[in-house]
Amino acid sequence: MQNGSFDVFALRKDFPLLLTKVYGKPLVYFDNAATSQKPRTVIERIVRYYEHENANIHRGVYHLSDLSSNAYEGSRDMVQKNINASKREEIIFVRGATEGINLVASSWGRTNLKAGDEVLISQMEHHANIVPWQLICQEKGAFLKVVPVDDSGELILEEFHKLLSEKTKFVSILYVSNSIGTINPIKTLIESAHQFNIPVLVDACQAAPHLSIDVHDLDCDFLVYSGHKIFAPTGIGVLYGKEILLNAMPPYQSGGDMINTVSFEKTTFKQAPHKFEAGTPDIAGAIGLGTAIEYINTIGKSKIHEYEQKLLNHITQKISDIDGLRIIGTAKNKIPVISFTVEGAHPMDIGTLIDFEGVAIRTGNHCTQPLLDRLGVTATCRASLAFYNTMEEIDFFADALNRVIKKIKN
Ligand code: PLP
């Protein structure tokens, strides 16, 4: 069976793990916001790397080191093209979004923030985009300002505009919420910040698996995402930064491969990206990321988005019928992530019992405690879908959820 022109059943065959059985039942994997499954092409590329190309990069003059360096740098080109950055030097490989944000907060923040300055984030940030800014603000005597969200889980744009001032030195904000799925009007936010000449970092961790990202069009100053959420391995991620900003920033970590000259008196550094890639990086991870990007490009982000919107509508409609169920986060524009609570049933109990039905969902605060506080809950169940999920899985999930709730309440 096909879902329109989008043959999800053919695509599912690309993902070996989706054939897994849990307690004898077919796995329904609805925790894609935490991490995605990997297509065979990515897994095989990593195996090929270790079987035929493994050597350290940039330093060897021999054939294998060349192969390895070219594959690693080739992935940088792929990332550059994929997010439409002007230059390959603007792409820095990091461990993930968390490291990317820490890099900017430490390097840019430590150089540019001073007492009394303000950094603007939002109430819906992942902890990864709160804590690094909190720490650097504390160190510098700067203040963290927070754009509130409304009851539906959308940013209150008037408040965003009100909070921008000459005191604001940096805006760091997410594109898409990991816990409730809200898609923010990111381009408008960037344009407004730029009217005050404020640089903007976009946390695109949850946008990258679902939406096309064009840093040229967005005109963001920095952008981060994690490879493991876009069907690539764990341990690799991307920090995009405008070249002029990157080259003005001091190193974040230091050591081999990021220096020009070292003496005991003085060290000189390479320019970006190498200045920010100290030591041996995750070579296989970067190569796997390039392969994942190629894989997604063969499907096409617009097709993925169109299909995922159908999944979102279907799951919203299916679970809305359940007695006592409250959807947390009802923004107009969402990715297929749905958070909910059920009266009289603790999210942890739902998550544990539905696992016995073969369904993997996330329960807890999803690393967004301030957002959940604002929305009046301490924990939710979260089903987060990817393009390889099906309408049939949603139907099974809704039936399983009904069974689980009945069990808890009886
Ligand atoms: N930002 C958002 C919006 C996220 O969803 C996540 C992870 O869930 C992160 C940042 C941190 O990503 P990582 O743990 O891969 O560094």
Side-chain angles (χ1 to χ4, degrees), residues 42 61 77 85 89 102 105 229 251 270 309 384 404:
V42 168
V61 290
D77 294 334
E89 289 77 12
N102 273 280
K229 296 193 201 277
K270 287 180 179 162
Q309 287 300 302
S384 57
V404 161

Side-chain angles (χ1 to χ4, degrees), residues 342-358:
V342 180
E343 219 178 85
H346 194 279
M348 291 288 270
D349 293 336
I350 295 176
T352 307
L353 288 179
I354 209 163
D355 178 47
F356 291 116
E357 303 265 358

Side-chain angles (χ1 to χ4, degrees), residues 120-121 145-150 155-164 189:
L120 190 54
I121 61 169
K145 294 282 166 175
V146 182
V147 186
V149 303
D150 65 17
L155 278 186
I156 304 176
L157 295 181
E158 307 88 74
E159 294 298 322
F160 175 79
H161 291 116
K162 272 195 223 158
L163 283 164
L164 288 175
L189 302 179

Side-chain angles (χ1 to χ4, degrees), residues 33 96-98 126 128 174 176 178 203 205-206 226 228-229:
T98 301
H126 186 282
L174 51 61
V176 173
N178 60 302
D203 174 358
C205 227
Q206 298 294 338
S226 297
H228 69 95
K229 296 193 201 277

